[in-house]
Amino acid sequence: MDRKVNPIILYYPSGVVHFRNLEILQQRLPGYVFRVIIEPWVLEKAPEVLQKVDRKNQVMLINHQLPPGAWDGVDMLFLSMAYPNMFRLQLIYKAAIRSIPVTAIEEVNQLALNDGIINHYFLPLDCFGVPSEIEKTKFLELGIRENSLMVTGWPFFDPSQCSEQKTTVHLKVEYNIPESKKLCLIILGSLKEFDIVSMETGQVRQQILKTVCKGLPDHYHLLIKPHPIETEYNL
């Protein structure tokens, strides 16, 4: 393989949606080879996402470790999330000792989630894409190097997939909800047990949901979207 024509990106998806993001990256970076790290939860809970990943580019973890040869020829490590956990830190370390640059794009607008305070998306990266100039300024205030920050917006957003009518009809059919019902959607954050900045314990979560259910009018149907990490750990 001619490395100059086919640079290799080692891609680490942390949730199902990151496989959709992978498809978008592949479309925007033709000629790049994406070598994809596959964790056990993917095979157990969402094996269908592997249908669009060439088998020869699937890197299966063995006892939470990359197999021999996973780093061969890699030109860049791309992380789908920029907050620290042990495995991501190990990946960054192994990339560093091989002089391989590490890139990530901030998954969400952290300021919107945390009342103007940047939380835990602070892994040491060579290039970090953030959604706005405001976020860039906040990261600079934290001491992040300016030459490692880039305002990218959110490149994985597709407005054409966000039709309210289409989404509502789809949900009612999928969950067998009567047409006359209105929908109330709760999008959960992560629990304190899995998030170093969250103040929401399991007990607090239960109280929130009980309060919502008690006050919800009869003509509404409640839908709950769990945080991806809770899906991963089967909470």
Side-chain angles (χ1 to χ4, degrees):
M1 178 182 293
D2 186 347
R3 289 275 312 284
K4 293 182 179 179
V5 177
N6 298 284
I8 298 173
I9 297 175
L10 183 61
Y11 181 83
Y12 175 42
S14 302
V16 172
V17 70
H18 299 147
F19 285 88
R20 184 207 64 184
N21 296 353
L22 171 62
E23 290 185 49
I24 296 173
L25 284 172
Q26 289 174 320
Q27 293 169 6
R28 298 186 179 186
L29 296 172
Y32 282 72
V33 174
F34 285 83
R35 193 175 291 168
V36 185
I37 298 172
I38 308 298
E39 295 181 293
W41 67 264
V42 178
L43 299 176
E44 296 170 5
K45 296 182 172 59
E48 67 279 2
V49 301
L50 298 179
Q51 294 176 2
K52 295 185 179 181
V53 180
D54 195 317
R55 183 175 293 274
K56 67 181 180 182
N57 291 324
Q58 297 178 16
V59 180
M60 302 292 179
L61 290 187
I62 302 174
N63 296 323
H64 305 289
Q65 299 294 325
L66 292 177
W71 291 97
D72 291 352
V74 170
D75 296 283
M76 176 189 294
L77 170 65
F78 191 105
L79 303 175
S80 294
M81 291 185 177
Y83 69 82
N85 67 11
M86 187 57 67
F87 184 64
R88 289 190 192 91
L89 291 170
Q90 290 175 352
L91 288 176
I92 290 176
Y93 169 74
K94 291 177 181 178
I97 63 177
R98 293 172 171 82
S99 298
I100 296 172
V102 184
T103 297
I105 296 176
E106 189 178 353
E107 190 181 29
V108 292
N109 284 274
Q110 290 299 313
L111 292 174
L113 290 178
N114 298 283
D115 298 322
I117 301 172
I118 296 293
N119 64 10
H120 56 319
Y121 277 54
F122 48 65
L123 279 174
L125 306 170
D126 296 285
C127 185
F128 188 26
V130 297
S132 69
E133 289 287 349
I134 295 175
E135 301 253 332
K136 179 179 179 180
T137 298
K138 290 293 185 179
F139 277 111
L140 289 173
E141 291 174 358
L142 289 176
I144 305 298
R145 295 178 294 111
E146 184 169 12
N147 62 0
S148 69
L149 293 170
M150 180 182 299
V151 179
T152 58
W154 178 235
F156 305 120
F157 176 68
D158 185 357
S160 66
Q161 298 181 7
C162 298
S163 165
E164 181 179 355
Q165 182 177 5
K166 176 182 176 182
T167 301
T168 301
V169 171
H170 173 77
L171 288 174
K172 287 184 176 180
V173 171
E174 182 175 357
Y175 295 104
N176 196 27
I177 300 171
E179 182 64 31
S180 60
K181 290 274 191 178
K182 292 186 176 182
L183 301 181
C184 174
L185 174 64
I186 294 181
I187 301 176
L188 299 177
S190 53
L191 287 172
K192 183 178 179 63
E193 290 82 352
F194 295 95
D195 190 329
I196 61 175
V197 298
S198 175
M199 299 299 292
E200 184 178 330
T201 64
Q203 185 176 2
V204 170
R205 164 74 56 76
Q206 291 180 8
Q207 188 58 47
I208 290 173
L209 294 179
K210 286 180 180 178
T211 301
V212 172
C213 291
K214 184 178 180 180
L216 195 67
D218 291 338
H219 62 285
Y220 275 84
H221 187 97
L222 179 63
L223 295 174
I224 300 173
K225 179 190 177 300
H227 189 277
I229 196 170
E230 297 181 19
T231 303
E232 176 180 340
Y233 284 93
N234 200 29
L235 296 182

